[in-house]
Amino acid sequence: MALLTFIGAAQEVTGSCYLLETRDGARVLLECGMHQGRRDDEARNRTPFPFDLRTLDAVVISHAHIDHCGLLPRLAREGYQGPVYATESCCDLLELMLMDSANIQEKDAEWENKWRARLGKPPTTPLYTQEDAQKALSLRRGVSYGSTVEVARGVRVTFHNAGHILGSAVVEIEIHEQGRCRRLAFSGDLGNTCSPLMRTPTPLSRADVVLLESTYGDRDHRDNQETLQELADILEQAHKDGGNVLIPAFAVGRTQDLLFYLGRFYQEGRLPQQTVILDSPMAARANEIYLRHTNEFSDSDREYIRGTGTVKLSEWLPPLRTTQSVEESMAINRIKSGAIIIAGSGMCTGGRIVHHLKHNLWREECHIVFPGFQAIGTLGRNIVEGAEKVRVLRQRIAVKAKVHTLGGFSAHAGQSQLIQWVGHFENKPELYLIHGERTKMDVLQAALLDRLAWQANIPEPGEQIAF
């Protein structure tokens, strides 16, 4: 008999964290993600861990997005010294993601303390530091797709391709105790089958308990070709309007998708802009990691790129410029027209995109393209939902630019894809919906009952189940 506790990402999108305990005393933490969104949500990242980290045998990470791994440095700072298991390419991305996150934590604390000093308030400390991130990174243990590793006594883990971002995994956990084998399948974040570069998520057929993400459980994404045509139309209209195109994008995953599509447009003679700027040193480094793992790309997209005769990103998308320094980033704001500017963060909660919004959001000739999910409480969500004015860098800015949402570019599976993937399981194991807003979970729960005659459960935060 094993016990599973839903610590995070229960009736919410971020903060992924689950504790698995066996009767034989093994304790494995599945995910250690950061809460993102509203100020209250982010404040939860400082609350004490609801478990004794000294008794943990291992941590297992599905992929390198911060809402799945972002609290690993804090875990290490507070004394965890055990292994952290992830796929090999995920381990590469973890270094990029956690060091960047630690740098943000340090800079945010520095900025906050300047204001606190003026108000006579005591200083704050960063959630964690780059030194803490290095401690966490020293614990990484890379595992290849399809290989099985024993992470604790009687607990074996196999990573399968989830098709979400590079190195993303469906996590299959086998618990062997007292002559029995129980299986837990964790979807992680399942990829959109229309996403470029990534492979189709690997289906599984056997489990006793399934944890299924539900980020887009309430709807399907638009047809991929329709979405690409919409993006092409937006770029053409922005060219005619004489403004810039701003695209807030996650440095890992979404940016690589966008560069692939913009490169296709260029190769096909359909890119009107003369300048594409990637204003994200982190995304530029992620590009290098992706190019080291092209064996994980889908066969069709790898063949398409090879067929164009390009071997470098500079040949695939010649108008591309990348920035490194803050000065180079600031210089972009002198460009008033003809540029596509891709920058993070993807939900506009910070990063360089915020500065570009300050200089372009109020301009009617500009276009803002949101290619991904915007969590409740984020600046991106407020803009998408039609706010006439928003607060950017402590200033109220009028939203005059044309705003577009391209749901077809999501790296998450849509409702039908989620149902199709989970439908491969035989005998309808216990099913729990996670990683989604409650309203979206309710819709997916009803759809599963209607299409598969399968009653899914929606766990409460902190709920425990035995299996």
Side-chain angles (χ1 to χ4, degrees):
M1 184 72 70
L3 188 68
L4 181 71
T5 305
F6 296 87
I7 297 173
Q11 300 186 30
E12 59 182 336
V13 176
T14 65
S16 186
C17 191
Y18 313 92
L19 179 63
L20 177 66
E21 302 170 272
T22 72
R23 181 178 293 177
D24 289 342
R27 304 182 87 228
V28 176
L29 192 66
L30 178 58
E31 311 277 70
C32 192
M34 185 180 290
H35 296 278
Q36 298 172 302
R38 297 188 181 100
R39 184 180 294 271
D40 289 346
D41 293 327
E42 294 182 356
R44 294 165 59 195
N45 294 317
R46 293 182 179 270
T47 60
F49 290 114
F51 49 81
D52 184 352
L53 56 86
R54 294 172 298 180
T55 65
L56 291 178
D57 295 294
V59 178
V60 176
I61 300 296
S62 70
H63 67 285
H65 276 151
I66 288 298
D67 60 323
H68 291 256
C69 69
L71 289 187
L72 283 173
R74 193 186 141 205
L75 196 74
R77 185 191 67 198
E78 296 187 13
Y80 178 71
Q81 298 179 353
V84 174
Y85 293 95
T87 66
E88 292 166 337
S89 48
C90 176
C91 284
D92 286 349
L93 287 174
L94 281 175
E95 180 171 7
L96 176 66
M97 299 294 282
L98 295 183
M99 292 303 293
D100 179 78
S101 179
N103 181 60
I104 291 172
Q105 298 304 321
E106 292 177 346
K107 295 296 185 183
D108 284 352
E110 181 182 345
W111 176 262
E112 178 69 19
N113 285 334
K114 289 181 180 178
W115 285 93
R116 284 175 171 264
R118 294 177 187 176
L119 298 173
K121 294 184 177 182
T124 186
T125 58
L127 180 64
Y128 52 76
T129 66
Q130 294 183 66
E131 182 180 354
D132 299 326
Q134 289 286 9
K135 288 181 182 178
L137 291 168
S138 70
L139 307 176
R140 290 171 296 173
R141 303 290 185 271
V143 181
S144 60
Y145 282 121
S147 297
T148 299
V149 59
E150 185 168 43
V151 301
R153 185 174 61 176
V155 181
R156 301 173 187 171
V157 169
T158 307
F159 293 109
H160 305 277
N161 201 319
H164 175 59
I165 63 169
L166 188 75
S168 60
V170 172
V171 182
E172 182 180 18
I173 302 178
E174 296 180 356
I175 302 159
H176 296 265
E177 56 182 357
Q178 299 180 351
R180 299 180 62 203
C181 175
R182 305 286 285 172
R183 288 183 175 85
L184 169 68
F186 172 54
S187 71
D189 283 351
L190 291 176
N192 184 348
T193 54
C194 294
S195 292
L197 303 178
M198 297 295 97
R199 297 179 183 273
T200 300
T202 302
L204 302 181
S205 60
R206 295 183 300 167
D208 297 288
V209 172
V210 178
L211 308 184
L212 177 66
E213 70 120 320
S214 53
T215 307
Y216 285 97
D218 62 336
R219 63 188 184 275
D220 287 327
H221 302 306
R222 286 186 61 191
D223 176 78
N224 186 250
Q225 293 305 312
E226 289 181 6
T227 302
L228 283 175
Q229 185 58 53
E230 182 180 2
L231 176 60
D233 292 343
I234 292 169
L235 298 180
E236 184 62 38
Q237 186 60 51
H239 178 66
K240 293 177 180 177
D241 292 343
N244 295 320
V245 179
L246 269 60
I247 308 180
F250 297 108
V252 177
R254 193 60 40 79
T255 292
Q256 289 71 42
D257 293 352
L258 287 166
L259 294 179
F260 174 78
Y261 285 133
L262 293 176
R264 271 185 54 179
F265 287 167
Y266 177 86
Q267 298 294 327
E268 297 166 1
R270 294 198 294 154
L271 187 67
Q273 281 76 15
Q274 298 300 308
T275 303
V276 178
I277 302 172
L278 177 57
D279 189 24
S280 171
M282 182 180 176
R285 293 194 296 273
N287 292 345
E288 296 172 1
I289 295 173
Y290 265 66
L291 292 174
R292 290 206 303 266
H293 294 277
T294 56
N295 60 302
E296 293 186 24
F297 290 3
S298 69
D299 294 337
S300 59
D301 289 333
R302 195 166 58 240
E303 286 302 315
Y304 180 89
I305 295 172
R306 186 176 295 143
T308 64
T310 60
V311 295
K312 299 178 181 179
L313 188 56
S314 59
E315 297 173 346
W316 176 249
L317 183 56
L320 179 65
R321 290 169 40 197
T322 60
T323 63
Q324 292 295 330
S325 68
V326 173
E327 291 73 21
E328 288 176 305
S329 178
M330 293 173 63
I332 295 171
N333 294 319
R334 294 197 293 267
I335 301 175
K336 301 304 179 184
S337 66
I340 299 171
I341 303 167
I342 304 171
S345 69
M347 297 185 193
C348 307
T349 54
R352 295 184 176 186
I353 192 64
V354 178
H355 295 271
H356 300 313
L357 287 171
K358 177 182 176 181
H359 288 270
N360 290 272
L361 195 57
W362 51 272
R363 300 174 59 209
E364 294 181 356
E365 68 272 24
C366 289
H367 294 248
I368 316 296
V369 178
F370 289 93
F373 181 80
Q374 305 298 310
I376 291 176
T378 61
L379 174 58
R381 181 69 165 253
N382 293 338
I383 296 173
V384 165
E385 290 185 341
E388 295 183 357
K389 291 184 178 181
V390 293
R391 184 170 292 277
V392 180
L393 298 175
R394 299 182 183 270
Q395 296 182 27
R396 298 287 290 179
I397 304 290
V399 181
K400 299 293 186 181
K402 299 174 181 65
V403 178
H404 312 270
T405 301
L406 296 180
F409 277 169
S410 175
H412 285 267
Q415 184 192 84
S416 294
Q417 295 166 337
L418 291 170
I419 293 174
Q420 181 182 25
W421 182 82
V422 82
H424 286 92
F425 285 97
E426 301 168 355
N427 304 321
K428 294 188 175 65
E430 288 184 54
L431 176 59
Y432 293 86
L433 303 183
I434 54 170
H435 276 281
E437 297 167 4
R438 179 59 196 251
T439 55
K440 294 173 171 46
M441 289 180 168
D442 289 339
V443 175
L444 180 58
Q445 183 184 51
L448 286 162
L449 189 61
D450 178 59
R451 297 191 204 178
L452 300 180
W454 194 347
Q455 179 63 55
N457 303 288
I458 300 177
E460 296 290 333
E463 182 176 336
Q464 293 183 326
I465 61 168
F467 67 100

